[in-house]
Amino acid sequence: YEQYKLSVKESTLNVVNSLVRKTILPEFGKIKVKDISIKQCQSAVNKWWEHYANFRHYKTYATQILDYAVIAGAIDSNPFKKIRVPRSKEKVVNETDLYYTKEELKTFLSFIQDDVMYYAIFRTLAFTGLRKGELQALQWKDIDFDQLSLTVNKTVTYGKKSRQIINSTKTRASNRTISIDKGTALALKKWQIEQRKVLLMNGYAVKSNEQFIFTNTETNQLLSKMTITHKLWYICDSNSFKRIKLHGFRHTCCSLLFESGATLQEVQARLGHSDIKTTMNIYAHVTEYQQEKTADKLAAYINF
């Protein structure tokens, strides 16, 4: 642990720490390293496979820990390298549950059209495809209202005790400047004006472009991802509307980009993927609307 924490960001350390305490230590925490058997490792992986879709992550970190034990001379070989890894389960997911269609997005935004801040938040997420951490880290200097552009160059991550940290973006490709539409720019401008009024009433005279865009109006502290998520759930539940995850707005953006005719490369650049395979594997699904229109497109092209 002492060596590992010197090689990763605090936010990564926090996630791995939680993962180890949740899954690996309950299985092996009371066993001496030299007494850990192949059978015990196989049993643990089988249990993780049964309960967690990302069971391979747990196997990977457990393997790394025992690799270090080999290097340190505590054991001669790593029993995790001698087990059989179960085949991943096929995910049965209804794609339309992961994102909003164009009509659903329009309906969702209509619920909050009078809530200036949250309308700006959810419209920005849906029309730009930003990751939630990238949205949280936005400052007014990152918005160019004249050129209608938005610059992403940082993200919010979480350290010990949920401490928010402004960090560099996920990858080099995540640093990007993208265009924004007039409707999103207008929503952000309305919020900028409203934010200054509300913060001034609460004792914060904010005029600097260094001001973060989305903050608690009483404390001027960054909004947490759970604050935004709970608002999302409240909006959906109070209107008996379909729930999606916060990340689903990124999925929504991608889906609508493809539906509007954007290329893989354009979507990759806008969403900040370093590898186009990510764009293809995760997002380049054919929407239900497109599937219904496939035959019509073919017939129209052939024209006989």
Side-chain angles (χ1 to χ4, degrees), residues 117-118 121 135-138 156 158 162-166 191 195 199 202 204 206 210-225 227-228:
M117 181 175 75
Y118 278 102
I121 286 176
L135 177 97
Q136 290 171 277
L138 283 178
V156 169
Y158 290 83
S162 300
R163 182 173 71 91
Q164 289 181 316
I165 305 166
I166 304 296
W191 168 237
Q195 183 190 50
L199 286 178
N202 288 310
Y204 300 95
V206 177
E210 298 291 325
Q211 166 68 29
F212 287 95
I213 297 179
F214 300 114
T215 64
N216 182 302
T217 53
E218 294 182 2
T219 64
N220 202 23
Q221 298 297 308
L222 290 177
L223 290 178
S224 72
K225 60 185 177 183
T227 297
I228 301 173

Side-chain angles (χ1 to χ4, degrees), residues 253-303:
C253 178
C254 187
S255 173
L256 296 180
L257 281 168
F258 280 118
E259 196 170 306
S260 70
T263 66
L264 273 172
Q265 289 76 13
E266 288 170 335
V267 176
Q268 178 191 13
R270 189 167 185 83
L271 271 63
H273 289 151
S274 57
D275 187 347
I276 200 166
K277 288 181 181 178
T278 304
T279 316
M280 295 171 67
N281 293 341
I282 300 178
Y283 296 106
H285 59 270
V286 179
T287 66
E288 183 179 354
Y289 174 80
Q290 288 172 310
Q291 288 175 334
E292 292 173 353
K293 297 296 180 181
T294 300
D296 292 338
K297 288 179 181 177
L298 178 62
Y301 174 70
I302 298 176
N303 198 27

Side-chain angles (χ1 to χ4, degrees), residues 124 128 130 134-135 138 142-144 147-152 176-180 184 188 213:
T124 300
T128 65
L130 294 186
E134 294 170 344
L135 177 97
L138 283 178
D142 300 323
I143 310 295
D144 188 328
Q147 297 298 319
L148 291 180
S149 66
L150 180 154
T151 298
V152 177
R176 60 202 187 276
T177 297
I178 61 174
S179 60
I180 55 175
T184 300
L188 287 167
I213 297 179

Side-chain angles (χ1 to χ4, degrees), residues 105-213:
L105 177 62
K106 184 177 181 181
T107 301
F108 174 85
L109 291 176
S110 72
F111 297 146
I112 51 171
Q113 57 187 352
D114 295 327
D115 189 327
V116 185
M117 181 175 75
Y118 278 102
Y119 182 85
I121 286 176
F122 290 114
R123 182 174 177 112
T124 300
L125 285 173
F127 279 73
T128 65
L130 294 186
R131 300 176 178 91
K132 52 184 176 285
E134 294 170 344
L135 177 97
Q136 290 171 277
L138 283 178
Q139 295 168 280
W140 287 115
K141 67 181 181 180
D142 300 323
I143 310 295
D144 188 328
F145 288 106
D146 294 326
Q147 297 298 319
L148 291 180
S149 66
L150 180 154
T151 298
V152 177
N153 51 31
K154 54 193 174 301
T155 188
V156 169
T157 57
Y158 290 83
K160 292 181 179 179
K161 297 182 179 179
S162 300
R163 182 173 71 91
Q164 289 181 316
I165 305 166
I166 304 296
N167 242 324
S168 56
T169 52
K170 190 174 182 180
T171 64
R172 182 181 298 179
S174 297
N175 286 337
R176 60 202 187 276
T177 297
I178 61 174
S179 60
I180 55 175
D181 63 285
K182 291 181 179 178
T184 300
L186 179 61
L188 287 167
K189 175 57 72 174
K190 283 183 176 179
W191 168 237
Q192 184 181 44
I193 295 169
E194 182 69 14
Q195 183 190 50
R196 288 177 178 176
K197 288 180 183 177
V198 178
L199 286 178
L200 185 60
M201 289 171 59
N202 288 310
Y204 300 95
V206 177
K207 292 185 179 180
S208 169
N209 278 341
E210 298 291 325
Q211 166 68 29
F212 287 95
I213 297 179

Side-chain angles (χ1 to χ4, degrees), residues 6-18:
L6 299 177
S7 64
V8 296
K9 294 178 180 178
E10 183 181 338
S11 55
T12 302
L13 183 67
N14 188 49
V15 171
V16 175
N17 224 330
S18 175

Side-chain angles (χ1 to χ4, degrees), residues 92-105:
V92 181
V93 178
N94 184 350
E95 284 287 332
T96 57
D97 289 339
L98 303 177
Y99 63 94
Y100 287 144
T101 63
K102 180 176 70 173
E103 292 75 19
E104 287 172 334
L105 177 62

